[in-house]
Amino acid sequence: MAEEDDTRIRILQSLRGKICEGKNLGPCSGPNRQRDLCTFCTISLDQEEVFRTKVFDKSLSPFYGEDFYFEIPRPFQCLSFYVFAKGVFQRDLPVGKVSIRKEELCKFSGKEHWFGLQPVDPNSEVQGKVHLEMRLNELIIENGSMCQQLMVRIIECHGLPLISGQNCDSYATVSLVGPARFDQKKTKVKKKTSDPQFEETFYFEVTRPNSYTKKSHFQVEEEDIEKLEIKVDLWNNGNLAQDVFLGETRVSVKILRNDHIHRAWYLLQPKGNGKSKTDDLGSLRLNVTYTEDNVLPSACYTPLRTLLLKSPDIKPISASAAHILGDICRERYEAVLPVVRLLLHHSRLVSFVSAIAALELENTQEANTIFRGNSLATRCIDDMMKIVGRSYLTVTLKPVLDEICESNKTCEIDPIKLKEGDNVEVNKENLQGYVQKVFSSITQSSSSCPPLMCDVFRSLRQLASKRFPDDPHVQYSAVSSFVFLRFFAVAVLSPHTFQLRPHHPDLEVSRTLTLISKTIQTLGSWGSLSKNKLSSFKESYMYDFFKSFQEDKCIGKVKKFLDEISSNVSKESSGVEDSVVLKEGEVQKRAQGRKRIGKKNFKKRWLRVTNRELSYHKHRGKEALCIMPVKNIRAVEKLDESAFNRKNMFQVLHSEKPLYVQAGNCVEASEWVEVLSQVSRCNPDRMGTYHPSAYLAGAWLCCRSLSDSQPGCKPCTPTLLANLQLDIDCDRETERIFSLFTSSYSKLQKMEDACASIAVYQGPPREQDDYSLFTIQDSKETFHTVRQITHILKELQNEHDTRSGTAQYGSQENPIVGKTS
């Protein structure tokens, strides 16, 4: 098993972006258009919903502002964004959708686009694939004449959708279609499965024998094999209700012209290619970035990983591989993150950040502009704080932000924006109370500040003091420019981005958070704490409001806080971790130990996992019905769909009966398994094997063993020894860096040319030259590193070419996009 894992290629998919806003939503633009439309958006992989925004009240052009990010745990055909109108006494009604096929996602990656909404037609909502075999046989019939017979075998389907949350009862119709004929046959119904095994064969006569006289059936003169096709339709058997269309595919019989047998997988398609009459339903502005990493075995990345990890030791730092990547990918915001993650995992980040911060300070002429730009150093520190400071933000800000978002107190102090009946003094008092709570939470949180952040802040403080020895305040402004301006103020402004709130706040709360963020930013900005800096406010109402905070005790609190998080003594972990919520949400939980099968055994529960315990509750905020210490978890594995005829199930194995849980969708299920596996990865009594199915009716469904204490029949999934809070997959991060270097290869070559040219050796390049875009302090050292990078890139590309052979067209991994009418 380990040997296979060492050689396999992992295909890892992720999706990030933003549902920005809608425009002119609704079924028509005339007088009947609803003015009080309350809408929300969802994201679906094929037909499985994996994300939902909050409801936006009474607007035809709502601003959703919802960021999303998730790992995609399974193959998919289509990514869809749906807009729904919220129903009051009835089900939610679809307004329209944006559907993007997987292969077209790269066209829109990383940029905002307006997409026109298309109608939501049940006949266009399809997913899954079908496995077919076709063969032409020549038959001699009783009178000795010849005829051709078409054999069609429908073998199986894979990935059919859930119907009303349950696995479908599917059947297929197989038809031979031509200009003058339509012969249809039907399979048996396969109950409660998304991957039905049909294994049924049908025979069709495609040419009539010479003695055939019933021309009313079809005419050979008008129809030959070139014009015939096999049409396969998948349906969900509705019993008493109407059958639901699941998808179709069409295969021309002429595919057998050169070969008498054809066997392949086909993607199911919408009915009639999903084309229907389109009205003006409005449009949706989206930003979507789809990433697919083909991660090679770890040993393949050793040369590139080693070169990157040497970066902090290279003199000058601008000649290091990590700095060169930041230089040639300067315009790509995602380029810094994999470097930060890799260096962080190997405890090399602090020394690298110190070196690039020192380089930036060399070019900083005035103390009051320190770390103001969007440089490599500031981007690295920003990403580091987002990664390691997540639980710090949760502990420090979440309670007060929850109070602000849920209390609905009005805090508008701009006279122009006041609503009728608003009292500006009351609003100012509300805002002041909120600011005081946020300010106190921050300035009293030094003991919760992660040690790594403290190490970086201490280094910045020392470097700033050394660069500007005559400025006594620069040691504080160097730290406050990050911790207040780039960390706390940003988290207050956009709490949903830092997982502090589930959704983007509404307009009124968002305005309150903006005012709080502005004030906190100014309170924490060391230069703004002196009374002569009030002029930094452009708005007079903010000037007046901020005057109430101009007290020595505010300056003292900020100074004390900055001293504590950037002192010369390295901050060590206390060894006693605060309880941090890692994930929580609504699930379906099966009653533990029940032997019979039935829907009543599954109940909705609120599942919650912290770094200490797993618990479930009747509802969110209620007392726990059951608490399980994470140290008692022995394994966490996905559960076969066949166990309870339910998708997206996983099991938590511990000393008692297994805990069986159904997540809302495939993304949620994958996230639950990941976080529970990581939090329990070091438990001493972890299991080596497990049962992928359940023990029901006196036997394990997977291996048919009769003893419920029988050891598992399948090896447990290996758990990467990643830091729980960081969750870093180093091979994936190195593959990302390889992809970034490869996509910017032309700039890498220009840098090599710049190092090798006489112009660079003799002096700085001309301003109009491309070489001026690069930081080249030592051309020989930089040239040497660039040559190492290019050599490693070629070797890695060869590994990809050798190992990543494209799956045969028509295979299960690379199914055919079938013809549709």
Side-chain angles (χ1 to χ4, degrees):
M1 187 75 184
E3 194 172 317
E4 289 179 4
D5 289 340
D6 287 343
T7 59
R8 70 189 179 99
I9 293 177
R10 294 182 293 145
I11 300 175
L12 303 176
Q13 310 170 96
S14 63
L15 192 74
R16 70 167 65 248
K18 176 178 280 192
I19 301 175
C20 304
E21 60 179 317
K23 184 166 63 177
N24 299 326
L25 301 180
C28 64
S29 55
N32 295 327
R33 171 168 253 172
Q34 298 180 49
R35 294 293 171 187
D36 58 349
L37 202 64
C38 298
T39 62
F40 62 91
C41 290
T42 66
I43 301 176
S44 291
L45 297 172
D46 299 322
Q47 292 184 64
E48 184 177 14
E49 182 184 315
V50 295
F51 180 85
R52 178 178 290 220
T53 71
K54 71 172 187 177
V55 178
F56 200 98
D57 289 342
K58 298 181 181 179
S59 173
L60 299 180
S61 297
F63 180 80
Y64 297 108
E66 294 272 11
D67 297 284
F68 57 85
Y69 172 79
F70 50 84
E71 298 287 326
I72 301 175
R74 63 169 178 81
F76 71 101
Q77 300 175 39
C78 195
L79 175 70
S80 299
F81 298 82
Y82 292 84
V83 178
F84 286 91
K86 184 68 177 174
V88 181
F89 300 110
Q90 57 184 354
R91 64 185 181 87
D92 302 328
L93 298 174
V95 175
K97 68 176 181 179
V98 173
S99 288
I100 310 172
R101 294 197 68 84
K102 178 182 175 181
E103 57 270 20
E104 295 177 343
L105 281 168
C106 59
K107 297 179 185 177
F108 310 106
S109 187
K111 295 181 181 178
E112 289 184 359
H113 295 269
W114 281 100
F115 296 87
L117 293 178
Q118 301 298 315
V120 177
D121 175 9
N123 288 332
S124 71
E125 304 294 300
V126 304
Q127 69 181 64
K129 50 196 169 187
V130 59
H131 196 191
L132 300 176
E133 182 180 301
M134 296 167 57
R135 178 184 297 162
L136 269 179
N137 300 320
E138 288 189 346
L139 298 180
I140 301 175
I141 58 175
E142 292 178 1
N143 62 3
S145 60
M146 300 282 294
C147 75
Q148 283 190 310
Q149 183 188 60
L150 177 65
M151 181 276 287
V152 180
R153 178 170 161 238
I154 178 164
I155 304 169
E156 61 182 315
C157 288
H158 184 77
L160 298 181
L162 298 177
I163 303 296
S164 301
Q166 300 294 319
N167 287 326
C168 52
D169 297 335
S170 57
Y171 69 89
T173 58
V174 183
S175 310
L176 179 65
V177 181
R181 80 181 287 184
F182 183 85
D183 294 346
Q184 186 177 86
K185 303 178 188 295
K186 178 180 172 182
T187 69
K188 296 176 182 177
V189 175
K190 297 296 179 180
K191 295 275 190 181
K192 302 298 180 189
T193 175
S194 296
D195 303 320
Q197 303 285 322
F198 290 108
E199 289 291 353
E200 293 193 43
T201 303
F202 303 102
Y203 296 93
F204 299 90
E205 188 181 283
V206 294
T207 59
R208 64 190 172 100
N210 294 334
S211 61
Y212 198 86
T213 57
K214 295 182 179 180
K215 290 190 176 183
S216 60
H217 283 219
F218 68 100
Q219 297 177 348
V220 175
E221 295 81 18
E222 297 175 4
E223 177 175 279
D224 57 19
I225 289 178
E226 297 288 317
K227 298 176 183 176
L228 295 174
E229 64 182 14
I230 285 294
K231 178 172 175 279
V232 178
D233 293 88
L234 270 295
W235 298 86
N236 178 64
N237 182 33
N239 293 321
L240 300 178
Q242 186 175 359
D243 291 356
V244 177
F245 174 76
L246 300 178
E248 70 172 37
T249 191
R250 294 169 179 254
V251 186
S252 175
V253 177
K254 69 183 179 183
I255 202 168
L256 297 170
R257 184 171 44 195
N258 299 322
D259 193 354
H260 284 281
I261 187 166
H262 172 72
R263 182 169 175 163
W265 284 87
Y266 285 84
L267 288 175
L268 294 173
Q269 300 293 307
K271 185 174 287 187
N273 208 18
K275 294 177 181 176
S276 57
K277 183 181 177 183
T278 59
D279 296 321
D280 180 12
L281 300 175
S283 53
L284 202 58
R285 182 163 62 92
L286 304 170
N287 188 327
V288 181
T289 298
Y290 168 73
T291 303
E292 183 175 294
D293 294 319
N294 292 280
V295 182
L296 300 170
S298 187
C300 298
Y301 297 112
T302 300
L304 181 55
R305 186 166 50 237
T306 301
L307 186 63
L308 289 160
L309 293 177
K310 285 181 182 176
S311 294
D313 304 324
I314 301 297
K315 302 282 191 282
I317 193 64
S318 60
S320 68
H323 193 283
I324 288 170
L325 178 67
D327 226 9
I328 64 174
C329 298
R330 197 172 299 186
E331 305 303 318
R332 301 186 64 171
Y333 75 94
E334 80 274 23
V336 169
L337 184 57
V339 172
V340 170
R341 284 176 169 272
L342 188 67
L343 295 175
L344 196 52
H345 183 83
H346 291 277
S347 303
R348 302 288 283 150
L349 184 64
V350 176
S351 52
F352 178 70
V353 165
S354 297
I356 58 175
L359 176 60
E360 180 173 335
L361 285 171
E362 286 179 23
N363 300 313
T364 303
Q365 303 305 316
E366 296 182 17
N368 61 355
T369 62
I370 194 168
F371 299 126
R372 289 289 178 88
N374 189 26
S375 64
L376 179 60
T378 57
R379 287 157 66 199
C380 281
I381 298 171
D382 282 351
D383 282 338
M384 177 276 296
M385 292 191 297
K386 288 175 184 175
I387 295 168
V388 305
R390 187 173 64 177
S391 59
Y392 180 32
L393 284 175
T394 302
V395 170
T396 305
L397 290 183
K398 186 168 173 39
V400 65
L401 288 177
D402 285 342
E403 179 188 343
I404 293 167
C405 293
E406 292 165 12
S407 63
N408 293 322
K409 287 184 180 179
T410 305
C411 296
E412 184 56 71
I413 58 173
D414 182 355
I416 299 175
K417 295 183 178 181
L418 287 174
K419 296 178 182 177
E420 187 176 348
D422 279 355
N423 186 316
V424 69
E425 292 303 319
V426 172
N427 292 359
K428 190 180 291 186
E429 189 175 317
N430 291 339
L431 181 61
Q432 190 170 356
Y434 284 152
V435 170
Q436 289 285 12
K437 286 185 177 182
V438 173
F439 180 70
S440 296
S441 295
I442 293 171
T443 54
Q444 295 171 12
S445 70
S446 60
S447 61
S448 301
C449 187
L452 193 135
M453 285 177 64
C454 294
D455 290 342
V456 170
F457 295 152
R458 185 174 67 255
S459 177
L460 294 177
R461 179 174 181 163
Q462 292 170 350
L463 290 168
S465 297
K466 184 177 178 181
R467 175 68 179 86
F468 298 102
D470 297 328
D471 189 328
H473 298 305
V474 74
Q475 60 177 318
Y476 296 111
S477 59
V479 178
S480 67
S481 62
F482 286 103
V483 73
F484 277 99
L485 276 66
R486 294 175 177 267
F487 187 59
F488 284 120
V490 177
V492 169
L493 189 64
S494 303
H496 60 294
T497 306
F498 294 84
Q499 290 83 50
L500 299 174
R501 295 288 299 171
H503 296 293
H504 183 81
D506 60 38
L507 290 176
E508 189 167 327
V509 173
S510 184
R511 173 62 177 163
T512 297
L513 295 178
T514 299
L515 294 171
I516 295 171
S517 180
K518 277 186 175 184
T519 311
I520 292 297
Q521 186 172 321
T522 309
L523 279 172
S525 176
W526 188 256
S528 300
L529 286 171
S530 55
K531 295 180 181 180
N532 61 352
K533 290 290 183 178
L534 282 169
S535 58
S536 63
F537 282 110
K538 296 178 183 178
E539 307 95 337
S540 59
Y541 62 87
M542 286 300 297
Y543 175 94
D544 293 334
F545 175 69
F546 192 74
K547 280 195 295 187
S548 62
F549 295 97
Q550 287 304 298
E551 302 173 2
D552 289 341
K553 66 177 182 179
C554 280
I555 299 175
K557 286 180 180 178
V558 172
K559 181 177 180 294
K560 181 175 181 290
F561 171 68
L562 295 175
D563 279 334
E564 289 170 346
I565 64 171
S566 62
S567 62
N568 289 326
V569 180
S570 180
K571 184 176 183 289
E572 297 293 337
S573 172
S574 64
V576 180
E577 290 184 276
D578 290 324
S579 180
V580 177
V581 177
L582 302 174
K583 185 171 177 61
E584 58 182 336
E586 190 174 79
V587 299
Q588 293 274 351
K589 185 196 74 68
R590 188 175 191 272
Q592 289 178 272
R594 293 286 175 88
K595 294 181 180 180
R596 58 191 178 90
I597 301 174
K599 289 183 180 179
K600 292 182 179 179
N601 285 337
F602 284 88
K603 295 187 181 297
K604 284 185 179 179
R605 291 292 181 256
W606 187 263
L607 195 64
R608 187 178 188 215
V609 59
T610 72
N611 53 332
R612 293 179 180 174
E613 61 191 28
L614 171 67
S615 59
Y616 58 81
H617 314 245
K618 192 167 185 179
H619 301 291
R620 183 178 186 176
K622 297 290 185 180
E623 289 292 320
L625 300 174
C626 176
I627 297 176
M628 182 192 308
V630 295
K631 64 183 180 182
N632 293 348
I633 296 176
R634 303 184 64 196
V636 185
E637 298 286 347
K638 292 190 176 179
L639 192 70
D640 279 357
E641 180 184 322
S642 60
F644 303 106
N645 288 321
R646 290 174 177 242
K647 280 192 168 185
N648 305 320
M649 288 200 68
F650 62 93
Q651 52 184 321
V652 181
L653 304 172
H654 55 110
S655 54
E656 304 296 328
K657 296 290 183 183
L659 175 65
Y660 295 125
V661 179
Q662 183 184 28
N665 56 61
C666 63
V667 171
E668 283 286 312
S670 185
E671 289 177 353
W672 279 114
V673 171
E674 176 70 18
V675 73
L676 284 165
S677 297
Q678 287 294 340
V679 78
S680 63
R681 72 194 184 283
C682 296
N683 288 352
D685 56 348
R686 281 188 65 86
M687 296 167 63
T689 59
Y690 75 104
H691 290 284
S693 197
Y695 185 81
L696 293 170
W700 288 103
L701 299 181
C702 42
C703 58
R704 308 311 302 175
S705 173
L706 300 179
S707 171
D708 62 351
S709 59
Q710 178 73 20
C713 57
K714 186 175 179 180
C716 287
T717 306
T719 304
L720 293 172
L721 288 177
N723 182 305
L724 176 64
Q725 296 299 323
L726 307 185
D727 193 20
I728 294 171
D729 181 344
C730 288
D731 292 340
R732 186 181 194 177
E733 303 305 335
T734 314
E735 170 62 27
R736 285 270 79 228
I737 293 168
F738 162 71
S739 299
L740 289 161
F741 269 131
T742 303
S743 62
S744 301
Y745 193 72
S746 60
K747 288 187 178 180
L748 196 63
Q749 288 181 311
K750 284 182 180 179
M751 180 178 273
E752 184 177 330
D753 293 342
C755 294
S757 70
I758 298 174
V760 173
Y761 280 122
Q762 290 181 344
R766 294 185 300 275
E767 192 62 35
Q768 65 270 26
D769 201 322
D770 283 338
Y771 302 161
S772 63
L773 298 174
F774 306 128
T775 305
I776 302 175
Q777 294 173 286
D778 185 325
S779 56
K780 290 183 179 179
E781 190 69 33
T782 305
F783 180 82
H784 176 64
T785 305
V786 171
R787 292 302 295 268
Q788 286 181 285
I789 293 169
T790 52
H791 173 73
I792 290 170
L793 294 183
K794 288 175 183 176
E795 293 293 320
L796 261 176
Q797 189 58 58
N798 288 337
E799 289 282 358
H800 273 286
D801 295 341
T802 302
R803 295 169 181 269
S804 303
T806 304
Q808 182 181 350
Y809 191 48
S811 66
Q812 187 171 4
E813 296 77 22
N814 188 16
I816 297 169
V817 180
K819 172 187 173 186
T820 57
S821 60

